[in-house]
């Protein structure tokens, strides 16, 4: 058994490698400290970047809200203006239609008919022909000159 004990006891070469490991522990400790410091700096930078991103998003959200509000106001203003223009055009259309109806009624009261009527009907009525030539003379003096040359 003494033989077994002598085999299990550590020899001198085994204790020799422990001394160099102690020398390596100091540089490893400083490396760990440097890495921890670097890690802390990186975490601080990440936190700063996260804060910057959050601030940027907040500003962006505010700007988007402002633009949306402005667009909504512009859309409402544009809708009101378009509706006003539609109303004005409808009034103009009604006014023009009324004026056209008045002119047509005035011409009918004077015994004149619309030029869209049949030429044969106008030639048969001597009252219309006389007044028709007057209207043509005012409307188209060139045609009047041509009729005078024919006579």
């Amino acid at each position: 058994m003494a033989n077994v004990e002598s085999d299990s006891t550590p020899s001198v070469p085994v204790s020799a490698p422990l001394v160099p490991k102690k020398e390596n522990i100091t540089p490893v400790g400083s490396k760990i400290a440097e890495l921890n410091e670097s890690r802390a700096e990186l975490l601080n930078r990440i936190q700063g970047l996260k804060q910057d991103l959050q601030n940027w998003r907040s500003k962006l959200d505010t700007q988007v809200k402002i633009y949306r509000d402005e667009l909504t106001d512009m859309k409402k203003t544009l809708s009101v203006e378009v509706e006003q223009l539609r109303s004005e055009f409808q009034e103009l259309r009604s006014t023009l239609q009324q004026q056209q109806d008045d002119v047509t009624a005035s011409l009918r009261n004077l015994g004149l008919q619309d030029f869209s009527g049949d030429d044969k009907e106008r030639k048969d009525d001597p009252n219309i022909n006389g007044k028709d030539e007057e209207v043509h003379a005012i409307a188209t003096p060139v045609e009047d000159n041509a009729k005078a040359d024919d006579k």
Side-chain angles (χ1 to χ4, degrees):
M1 286 197 149
N3 208 5
V4 173
E5 285 178 19
S6 65
D7 286 342
S8 65
T9 56
S11 61
V12 176
V14 172
S15 63
L18 288 178
V19 175
K21 282 188 178 179
K22 286 183 183 178
E23 291 172 359
N24 288 339
I25 289 177
T26 306
V28 170
S30 67
K31 290 280 187 188
I32 289 174
E34 286 178 29
L35 289 174
N36 283 337
E37 185 180 328
S38 176
R39 179 175 180 251
E41 288 176 9
L42 289 173
L43 288 174
N44 285 338
R45 283 182 61 194
I46 288 172
Q47 288 296 359
L49 290 172
K50 283 182 178 180
Q51 187 64 38
D52 289 346
L53 179 63
Q54 187 176 2
N55 291 339
W56 182 79
R57 282 182 177 168
S58 176
K59 287 178 183 178
L60 184 63
D61 289 344
T62 302
Q63 204 64 26
V64 166
K65 184 182 181 312
I66 290 170
Y67 288 151
R68 279 188 179 156
D69 292 345
E70 287 178 2
L71 285 173
T72 301
D73 290 343
M74 288 179 182
K75 184 178 177 183
K76 288 177 183 177
T77 302
L78 183 62
S79 295
V80 167
E81 289 178 7
V82 165
E83 192 57 39
Q84 287 175 345
L85 286 173
R86 283 183 180 152
S87 176
E88 289 174 16
F89 277 119
Q90 185 60 39
E91 288 175 21
L92 285 172
R93 187 179 296 130
S94 298
T95 302
L96 288 174
Q97 184 64 42
Q98 183 61 41
Q99 288 175 353
Q100 185 179 8
D101 292 345
D102 291 346
V103 167
T104 303
S106 295
L107 289 175
R108 284 190 181 139
N109 287 340
L110 292 173
L112 299 175
Q113 288 186 357
D114 213 15
F115 290 118
S116 62
D118 210 6
D119 285 336
K120 212 176 203 185
E121 291 175 356
R122 290 193 337 221
K123 288 182 183 177
D124 291 342
D125 191 356
N127 291 333
I128 293 176
N129 281 338
K131 291 181 182 178
D132 192 28
E133 286 179 10
E134 291 174 9
V135 171
H136 276 303
I138 294 170
T140 56
V142 174
E143 285 183 17
D144 191 35
N145 290 338
K147 286 181 183 178
D149 291 339
D150 289 341
K151 291 181 182 178

